[in-house]
Amino acid sequence: MNAALETLMLAFSADDGLRVPPRALFIGAESHPALGEWSDLIGWQPLKPLAAAWERAGFPRADDLPEGKWPLVLVLPGKSRDEALAWFAMARDRLEPGGKLLVAMPNTAGAGRFEKELSKATGNIVSIQKHKCRAFHATEDGGWNEEIFNEWRALGELREISGFTVQAGIFSSDHIDPGSQLLADHLPAHLPGNVADLGAGWGFLSDAVLKRCPKIQRLDLFEADARALECARRNLASYPRAITYHWHDVTTGLPEVYDVIVMNPPFHTGQATDVDLGRAFLKVAAASLRRGGKLLLVANRQLPYEAALEASGLAWRKIAEDRIYKILSAEKR
Ligand SMILES: C[S@@+](CC[C@H](N)C(=O)[O-])C[C@H]1O[C@@H](n2cnc3c(N)ncnc32)[C@H](O)[C@@H]1O
């Protein structure tokens, strides 16, 4: 269960709650059985696994956030502060006069703080607290503080770090990930053939592969976050080599096999499901290497990926480490 989504839906079940409008837009759309009764609901969701689930549930989806005006805009933001505020502004821009903006967030993501921020901009707010989350909504009454929304809108614009284009909400949007940097520093220059970058983000590792490995013929990027992939397109645009960009859930497998796979798999220390996600990446990588093919990955030192590599038929060795990260090189037997 997505607790924030459950709390969001509660806004419609209270006696004095919101009424389901004839049309609605859902930013950060996630499917819920109760939404099946809504007549005209369009969703935008940049994360592939969630977008696929939304479509599987039968809801219409827009690739790009649609332009237009709606009487209700639902917002289910991620963890990034700048992303959440930028999404409030994106929702504001799509509200009809008198329309309602409804947000839901977990308390651990700072729901109380974001509710206060929104109420400063709108002057009115109604809040529900349940499931360790908050759902809060405001009604556009002609008196909202547009200066605040202008500031928030700017937070969602493309920005630069170390010459790369990034955007709020995507992985490592304010600094180069030190683990990825360590892997980039240890990429063997002789890597050959067709290469895949799994969970490619905005393209940092791909850029390093293209810079350091003149023998590679093709590079395929696989990334779940459409916004990150769009940044990667910009960041790698100047390379004359063959590059393809896949908006893809890596855990569902890859369409072909590769000579080399590089990755900094997604994880979060201490959260079992994220370690499982990293393991799923390893399994897919092992299945998608040709015999003799090579996997190069970086991971936090305490993550138990070695056993997963062995279980997948890969012979591994540690080629570098520092206080936090290790670089593993593995070969398919
Ligand atoms: C640790 S980051 C590495 C990003 C990039 N390779 C770098 O080194 O900066 C992991 C990336 O995996 C992506 N990701 C998470 N789950 C995914 C999935 N199921 N399929 C594809 N990519 C996923 C995240 O969006 C994130 O960009």
Side-chain angles (χ1 to χ4, degrees), residues 53-220:
W54 175 257
E55 279 184 328
R56 273 199 306 277
F59 297 111
R61 189 183 63 77
D63 275 341
D64 298 314
L65 184 61
E67 296 301 333
K69 301 280 181 195
W70 284 264
L72 173 70
V73 181
L74 311 168
V75 185
L76 208 53
K79 287 187 207 136
S80 143
R81 172 189 176 271
D82 287 2
E83 176 196 75
L85 296 176
W87 284 20
F88 292 177
M90 281 152 47
R92 191 272 163 279
D93 293 342
R94 287 160 179 81
L95 268 190
E96 285 177 3
K100 294 189 191 294
L101 191 169
L102 169 62
V103 181
M105 301 177 78
N107 293 340
T108 51
R113 188 163 42 89
F114 284 103
E115 182 184 310
K116 264 197 210 118
E117 297 254 24
L118 187 63
S119 73
K120 261 191 247 155
T122 61
N124 69 79
I125 205 111
V126 178
S127 177
I128 299 170
Q129 296 180 44
K130 186 91 187 175
H131 307 308
K132 298 184 179 154
C133 295
R134 278 176 193 238
F136 42 97
H137 57 91
T139 304
E140 202 283 324
D141 57 5
W144 285 11
N145 185 330
E146 297 306 332
E147 258 175 50
I148 295 182
F149 282 104
N150 289 343
E151 279 170 28
W152 291 351
R153 200 171 293 112
L155 296 175
E157 283 164 12
L158 296 178
R159 31 175 114 158
E160 271 205 6
I161 51 166
S162 310
F164 293 103
T165 298
V166 298
Q167 191 175 25
I170 68 176
F171 175 77
S172 80
S173 63
D174 53 8
H175 65 288
I176 287 171
D177 181 68
S180 298
Q181 182 67 61
L182 190 68
L183 177 51
D185 293 343
H186 289 85
L187 280 176
H190 60 265
L191 293 178
N194 293 342
V195 180
D197 180 357
L198 308 192
W202 49 257
F204 174 75
L205 275 180
S206 289
D207 177 75
V209 167
L210 290 162
K211 262 195 197 116
R212 289 173 74 106
C213 313
K215 288 196 200 141
I216 75 155
Q217 279 152 7
R218 208 185 78 212
L219 177 62
D220 291 355

Side-chain angles (χ1 to χ4, degrees), residues 307-318:
L309 290 172
E310 270 162 30
S312 301
L314 299 182
W316 63 271
R317 66 197 171 89
K318 198 187 311 177

Side-chain angles (χ1 to χ4, degrees), residues 49 171-172 177 180 197-202 204-205 222-225 248-251 264-266 277 281:
F171 175 77
S172 80
D177 181 68
S180 298
D197 180 357
L198 308 192
W202 49 257
F204 174 75
L205 275 180
F222 294 89
E223 168 57 44
D225 188 332
H248 187 74
D249 177 354
V250 164
T251 64
N264 178 355
L277 181 58
F281 266 58

Side-chain angles (χ1 to χ4, degrees), residues 284-307:
V284 167
S288 312
L289 278 176
R290 68 161 172 78
R291 205 172 286 276
K294 199 171 249 227
L295 169 64
L296 285 150
L297 72 95
V298 58
N300 268 38
R301 281 167 58 136
Q302 75 270 26
L303 290 175
Y305 287 157
E306 290 81 352

Side-chain angles (χ1 to χ4, degrees), residues 28 50 142-143 209 235 265 271 318 325:
L50 298 177
V209 167
N235 289 328
Q271 287 181 24
K318 198 187 311 177
Y325 301 102

